[in-house]
Amino acid sequence: MRMQHVFFDLDNTLWDHRRNAYLTIKDLFDNQEISPKYNIDFEEFHSVYHDINEDLWEKIRDGIIGKEYLREHRFYDTFKYFGVENKELSNYFEENFLDNIVGYNELVDGAEDILVYLKAKNYKLHIISNGFQDVTERKCTLSGIAPFFETITSADSIGVRKPDPKIFEYSLGLSEAKKEESILIGDDWIADAMGAKNFGMDSIFFDVYKEDKKEAGLKAITHLQQIKEYL
């Protein structure tokens, strides 16, 4: 059966979350004069935040914690690492982070070009994201890529996250697509590549960090333009 539907993960697959988050946190850090007040270097602060945030998102993906726990702890635990236990300060960062991050809308290199290419070939394009629904939709709209997509599914839509097969089933139902005519492209090995594979859907692993993961028959790319080799 001919491939007709292309499902994309959003963060760090199309929308450059790492870059946009970095710029947003830098603004908040400077606005609150964190460096002179607490003698904390921003690059070190961001590095600690990144590791804590990645760990918390993995726990959300695995069903160990919920999104409220993540929102309560990612900045609080980062500041605590530097000896600053200040709920008001960490809450300020969390509340303003989600509001301000959509002020930066840099896309992953090649994202818009590949969407134009796929649309020209009459593929129907969709989003399946583990992010928050309202933020996911705002990211797509404000970055200008929303018109490319027929459907946008986030974890909040159904209450489960990739790699849970229920979110793939839900998104395919929403898009009226069959799994044998669909493919998922994403940067998370477990949530995207293995999640789709275990669901019985074709996938392309966007190996941004060149992790060189191996799985029989699994497609992998290191740049979005390489999608053209498969579609």
Side-chain angles (χ1 to χ4, degrees), residues 44-45 48 52 75-85:
E44 187 178 359
F45 178 88
V48 171
I52 288 172
F75 285 107
Y76 181 79
D77 291 357
T78 302
F79 277 110
K80 186 177 178 181
Y81 175 90
F82 293 97
V84 180
E85 296 190 51

Side-chain angles (χ1 to χ4, degrees), residues 63-204:
I64 298 170
I65 63 171
K67 68 177 184 180
E68 292 308 318
Y69 185 93
L70 175 138
R71 295 193 61 182
E72 182 179 343
H73 281 272
R74 57 180 168 185
F75 285 107
Y76 181 79
D77 291 357
T78 302
F79 277 110
K80 186 177 178 181
Y81 175 90
F82 293 97
V84 180
E85 296 190 51
N86 186 328
K87 278 279 188 184
E88 185 178 349
L89 181 62
S90 60
N91 286 342
Y92 168 86
F93 267 71
E94 180 59 38
E95 290 166 8
N96 286 278
F97 175 72
L98 287 180
D99 285 339
N100 295 355
I101 192 170
V102 290
Y104 290 104
N105 282 288
E106 295 192 24
L107 298 173
V108 172
D109 187 38
E112 190 167 3
D113 287 344
I114 201 63
L115 293 175
V116 169
Y117 166 83
L118 292 171
K119 204 73 173 175
K121 296 194 74 173
N122 295 317
Y123 288 105
K124 294 180 180 178
L125 309 182
H126 312 273
I127 292 286
I128 307 180
S129 169
N130 271 358
F132 307 139
Q133 181 74 31
D134 58 335
V135 179
T136 297
E137 291 177 355
R138 287 164 68 196
K139 287 174 178 177
C140 289
T141 299
L142 294 174
S143 65
I145 62 174
F148 287 102
F149 299 103
E150 310 256 331
T151 66
I152 297 175
T153 298
S154 81
D156 290 349
S157 306
I158 187 173
V160 296
R161 288 174 161 75
K162 297 173 292 183
D164 193 309
K166 293 187 187 72
I167 193 169
F168 296 105
E169 194 72 62
Y170 175 89
S171 192
L172 262 66
L174 190 65
S175 59
E176 299 181 344
K178 298 175 181 176
K179 66 173 71 176
E180 57 268 25
E181 61 185 21
S182 304
I183 190 167
L184 174 76
I185 301 165
D187 72 303
D188 190 302
W189 174 256
I190 294 173
D192 297 316
M194 299 310 298
K197 180 178 184 294
N198 292 336
F199 176 65
M201 180 175 165
D202 201 358
S203 66
I204 298 175

